[in-house]
């Protein structure tokens, strides 16, 4: 395949090509920005919920004093000239929270269903074009949802269809970016690298919240148009500069098979560097070398499901994302509707304050990845985090309203434990399984495996916000009970793999000489890192 146009332009401008290390950094940066744009475009609905369906019974007093970032509702000059009474029809009736839950379900149901198709297409089509098209189309429908404000549309079906279409195209994102990262990076320190890289989820949530809240005073439609424009521009950037496959720019593929992986990786990197240094600056002179993993035909869904560990982690992610996405879509609404220290904060303040949950999530994703690398195991830290999330959720619900300081601290702790396993499973675990030894060297299963795991998880992501729309009418305590049950089930689902990993770790400590032979077997994700290169040392 030919390199992207932006890379060709940079080659001609510089007179030489980038090194392997530079390409890897660029790929990390571009995929980080791309998926941060995806998540930024998902946040507007959570920010505007309290505008579409305001609670007339709460009275605002002074908010948390952080300058203009958190301000009183009276100071927020929201343009209500087009509002029929309070709120925005059709969301301002008695069934307002239910309808808000339904549009969340519409988005996430299409996102989940589209994930399975998108994963297979991602392994069959050019990932760069597939990802760019998905971002541009997604941004278009997110912006069209906001245009309902300017076009004075009050038909529920319009907003439902916009969410359906946005969710469908959003499904292109995650399988594509994980597959690109898997194409460029091996398994060494994958948990830590992907834990840091997965901060794009929280960075996107924070960016989307701040963008949506910053223009809310000019009309809630702008809260959708601005993030929609952001992901649209991100799609153009991906089209121009992202090299989805190493061989597209003249490198070999970097996946390792059994044997001495450290030696093999070193030879691959050296071979790639020699290849690049011998290439001229013209794109015609760059021809891909033979990869150590074959880019064959895409793996089918059934074949991918048979990879050891795919189904348990996929079902675990169902409940993990149920919890994570309930916070994603409802946390600003919950903060706005809950008195903190006897005071309420405005809609804009609640949106800004909710970003601290994602700050904790960034730390959680990095910490979970680091621990998984140190232990040479994925399921153990994922399970520990899900169990630890249960008391943290309980404390946030019953002590977070005591004071603003407690609310902030407990919110960040909850974000750490909720997002930690979610980040680990959707990144390092998916990439491990997508390059599993049972695939016999076929590198075109990454997007399919990622889609199965994240698509199943997205079903839970759709269910959580929908149930919240119903349960919140009976009190928020019922919502938090649901979240705690979800964390408990998620942890229990990995019990078998946890026991297998524990046995392997204890066996490795007693018989160090058996580590390399276990690496070569690589039969399941329960084995540390599916054959981490460090076992070869």
């Amino acid at each position: 395949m030919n390199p992207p146009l932006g890379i060709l332009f940079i080659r001609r401008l510089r007179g030489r090509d980038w090194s392997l290390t530079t390409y890897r950094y660029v790929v990390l940066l571009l995929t980080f920005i791309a998926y941060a744009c995806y998540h930024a475009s998902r946040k507007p609905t959570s920010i505007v919920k309290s505008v579409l369906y305001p609670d007339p019974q709460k009275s605002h007093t002074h908010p948390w004093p952080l300058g203009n970032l958190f301000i009183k509702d009276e100071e927020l000059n929201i343009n209500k000239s087009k509002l029929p009474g309070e709120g925005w029809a059709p969301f301002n009736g008695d069934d307002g929270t239910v309808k808000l839950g339904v549009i969340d379900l519409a988005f996430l149901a299409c996102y989940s269903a589209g994930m399975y198709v998108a994963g297979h297409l991602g392994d069959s089509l050019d990932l760069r074009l597939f990802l760019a098209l998905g971002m541009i189309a997604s941004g278009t429908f997110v912006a069209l949802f906001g245009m309902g404000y300017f076009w004075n549309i009050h038909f529920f079906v319009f907003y439902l269809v916009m969410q359906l279409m946005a969710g469908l195209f959003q499904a292109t994102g995650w399988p594509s970016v994980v597959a690109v990262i898997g194409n460029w990076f091996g398994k060494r320190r994958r948990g830590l690298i992907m834990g840091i890289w997965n901060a794009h989820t929280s960075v996107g949530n924070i960016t989307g919240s701040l963008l949506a809240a910053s223009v809310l005073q000019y009309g809630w439609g702008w809260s959708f148009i601005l993030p929609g424009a952001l992901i649209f521009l991100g799609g153009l950037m991906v089209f121009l500069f992202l090299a989805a496959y190493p061989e597209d720019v003249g490198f070999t593929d970097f996946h390792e098979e059994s044997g001495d992986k450290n030696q093999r990786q070193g030879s691959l990197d050296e071979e790639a560097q020699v290849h690049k240094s011998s290439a001229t600056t013209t794109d015609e002179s760059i021809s891909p070398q033979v990869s150590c993993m074959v880019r064959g035909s895409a793996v089918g869904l059934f074949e991918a499901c048979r990879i050891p560990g795919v189904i348990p982690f996929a079902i675990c992610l169902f409940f993990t994302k149920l919890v994570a996405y309930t916070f994603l879509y409802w946390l600003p609404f919950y903060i706005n509707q809950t008195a903190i220290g006897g005071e309420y904060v405005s809609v804009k303040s609640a949106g800004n304050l909710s970003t601290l949950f994602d700050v904790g999530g960034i730390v959680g994703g990095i910490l979970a990845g680091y621990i998984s690398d140190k232990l040479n195991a994925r399921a153990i830290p994922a399970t520990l985090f899900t169990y630890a999330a249960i008391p943290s959720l309980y404390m946030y619900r019953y002590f977070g309203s005591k004071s603003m300081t407690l609310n902030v601290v407990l919110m960040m702790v909850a974000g750490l434990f909720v997002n930690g396993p979610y980040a680990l499973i959707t990144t390092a675990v998916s990439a491990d399984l997508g390059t599993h030894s049972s695939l016999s060297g076929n590198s075109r299963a990454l997007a399919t495996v990622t889609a199965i795991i994240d698509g199943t998880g997205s079903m839970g992501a759709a269910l959580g916000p929908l149930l919240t729309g119903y349960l919140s009418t009976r009190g928020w305590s019922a919502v938090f009970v649901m979240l705690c049950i979800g964390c408990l089930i998620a942890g229990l689902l990995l019990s078998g793999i946890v026991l297998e990993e524990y046995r392997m770790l204890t066996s490795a400590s007693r018989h160090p000489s058996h580590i390399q032979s276990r690496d070569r077997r690589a039969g399941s994700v329960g084995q540390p890192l599916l054959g981490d290169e460090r076992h070869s040392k």
Side-chain angles (χ1 to χ4, degrees), residues 109-131:
C110 267
Y111 175 76
S112 176
M115 188 75 71
Y116 295 99
V117 178
H120 186 70
L121 289 175
D123 281 329
S124 305
L125 305 176
D126 185 280
L127 282 171
R128 176 177 62 91
L129 300 178
F130 187 63
L131 180 61

Side-chain angles (χ1 to χ4, degrees), residues 51 78-89 149 152 154 220:
V51 175
I78 299 177
N79 183 359
K80 296 182 178 180
S81 61
K82 293 188 178 184
L83 298 181
E86 289 292 327
W88 183 270
Y149 170 82
N152 203 25
H154 298 282
W220 64 261

Side-chain angles (χ1 to χ4, degrees), residues 57-70:
Q57 296 181 348
K58 62 181 176 64
S59 58
H60 290 272
T61 55
H62 297 284
W64 191 29
L66 282 185
N68 292 327
L69 188 61
F70 300 108

Side-chain angles (χ1 to χ4, degrees), residues 42-50 209 328-333:
R42 298 175 193 175
K43 285 298 291 184
T45 52
S46 67
I47 300 300
V48 305
K49 274 186 170 74
S50 295
S209 295
L328 175 67
Y329 280 96
W330 285 95
L331 182 57
F333 185 83

Side-chain angles (χ1 to χ4, degrees), residues 296-315:
S297 58
V299 173
L301 287 175
F302 180 74
E303 184 181 353
C305 286
R306 295 175 60 187
I307 298 173
V310 168
I311 296 301
F313 274 107
I315 301 175

